[in-house]
Amino acid sequence: MDTIERALEFEQTKMKSLSTSDRIEISREAKQLILELNQIYKDKKDESIMDIMKRLTAIKQKVEKRLKGRPLTA
């Protein structure tokens, strides 16, 4: 259950005024946690684990959206 505790702790971290390298680290850490949680979910089929994965995915998408920047207009 260490992975679940790390995921819950990760959710509580502040995501303001981050540098690009911080954003990359957060994105990679979120991806790793999601993959680990997915392995646990395959065994236990617990909906609370799925909810944690969904919240982590939302955080990851926000960070990656900021990394990619705005699309150029024609």
Side-chain angles (χ1 to χ4, degrees), residues 14-62:
K14 302 291 182 191
M15 301 287 176
K16 295 192 179 210
S17 65
L18 300 171
S19 66
T20 302
S21 60
D22 290 339
R23 292 180 201 284
I24 292 170
E25 283 183 33
I26 287 172
S27 176
R28 288 179 180 165
E29 184 178 353
K31 180 180 180 180
Q32 185 63 36
L33 286 170
I34 291 167
L35 291 174
E36 289 176 17
L37 286 171
N38 191 33
Q39 292 300 319
I40 295 171
Y41 179 76
K42 286 179 183 178
D43 294 334
K44 297 188 178 188
K45 303 290 186 199
D46 186 7
E47 288 299 317
S48 64
I49 296 172
M50 180 58 77
D51 292 337
I52 295 170
M53 287 193 304
K54 287 178 183 178
R55 293 193 305 261
L56 290 179
T57 301
I59 292 170
K60 182 176 176 288
Q61 287 174 343
K62 284 182 186 178

Side-chain angles (χ1 to χ4, degrees), residues 4-18:
I4 295 173
E5 292 171 9
R6 286 191 306 133
L8 294 174
E9 184 179 312
F10 177 79
E11 279 186 299
Q12 301 302 319
T13 59
K14 302 291 182 191
M15 301 287 176
K16 295 192 179 210
S17 65
L18 300 171

